[in-house]
Amino acid sequence: MTISDIADECFQEAGEPSDTSVAAIAYFLRNKVGLLNVRTFSTYSLNSSYEIVDEDGGSISTEAVSILKTFYRLDRYDYLIRASLASLDSSSVIEVRDDGSSVKKSDRNQTIKTLKDLKKDELEELNFLIASYKIRASSPSSIDGDDTEAGYR
């Protein structure tokens, strides 16, 4: 899977936000290869065409792609939380109705709380994905048993 395919999936899953692009997401993902290696004890790198490959030159695994996409979602939630905190609209008015017209505003604090909850869920998913990746990649260090004697039951 190419980095542009992964970035496009991230872009589509985020609802095609107007404040970012597929190229910006691809740049972000390329910069997270080191973090992916540290967190999963893997050896991915960028080749000469800036695609993510393993140590044998093969393509990135689907499990690693899932982890990279989760890195992006966590960063996206961080961005949205910072943007909500920086917004000047601090009104706590939820809804106003007058003579058939209405104005509805969202509560900034509730929005931030929801984003933080979503980020927490993504972080839990990331930890689960990384643990699963490590378990799948591990091999047993020894197999204990008493199967060395012929005819033993």
Side-chain angles (χ1 to χ4, degrees), residues 5-58:
D5 292 338
I6 301 168
D8 187 53
E9 283 183 15
C10 289
F11 186 72
Q12 298 294 327
E13 289 172 4
E16 299 181 13
S18 61
D19 57 352
T20 190
S21 66
V22 174
I25 297 170
Y27 180 80
F28 172 85
L29 295 173
R30 285 184 184 105
N31 283 325
K32 294 300 178 185
V33 173
L35 180 60
L36 175 68
N37 288 336
V38 168
R39 296 291 303 267
T40 61
F41 304 120
S42 56
T43 55
Y44 291 108
S45 62
L46 296 176
N47 64 11
S48 60
S49 61
Y50 300 107
E51 294 298 331
I52 302 173
V53 294
D54 63 10
E55 61 188 346
D56 299 326

Side-chain angles (χ1 to χ4, degrees), residues 32 66 88 104:
K32 294 300 178 185
S66 296
L88 297 175
K104 189 173 188 177

Side-chain angles (χ1 to χ4, degrees), residues 54-69:
D54 63 10
E55 61 188 346
D56 299 326
S59 64
I60 187 170
S61 70
T62 55
E63 294 89 358
V65 168
S66 296
I67 293 170
L68 275 175
K69 288 166 68 174

Side-chain angles (χ1 to χ4, degrees), residues 66-108:
S66 296
I67 293 170
L68 275 175
K69 288 166 68 174
T70 306
F71 285 158
Y72 173 73
R73 286 192 300 269
L74 281 170
D75 185 70
R76 181 76 184 155
Y77 287 133
D78 276 340
Y79 170 78
L80 293 173
I81 290 169
R82 283 192 311 271
S84 293
L85 286 172
S87 70
L88 297 175
D89 180 32
S90 61
S91 175
S92 61
V93 175
I94 302 297
E95 189 170 355
V96 175
R97 292 180 186 223
D98 186 32
D99 293 333
S101 63
S102 65
V103 175
K104 189 173 188 177
K105 294 183 180 182
S106 62
D107 184 14
R108 182 178 65 138

Side-chain angles (χ1 to χ4, degrees), residues 107-118:
D107 184 14
R108 182 178 65 138
N109 294 330
Q110 187 64 33
T111 302
I112 293 169
K113 183 178 182 252
T114 303
L115 288 171
K116 283 185 174 185
D117 289 343
L118 289 170

Side-chain angles (χ1 to χ4, degrees), residues 113-127:
K113 183 178 182 252
T114 303
L115 288 171
K116 283 185 174 185
D117 289 343
L118 289 170
K119 182 183 173 192
K120 181 182 172 189
D121 292 344
E122 284 296 329
L123 191 56
E124 289 174 6
E125 181 182 347
L126 175 66
N127 291 331

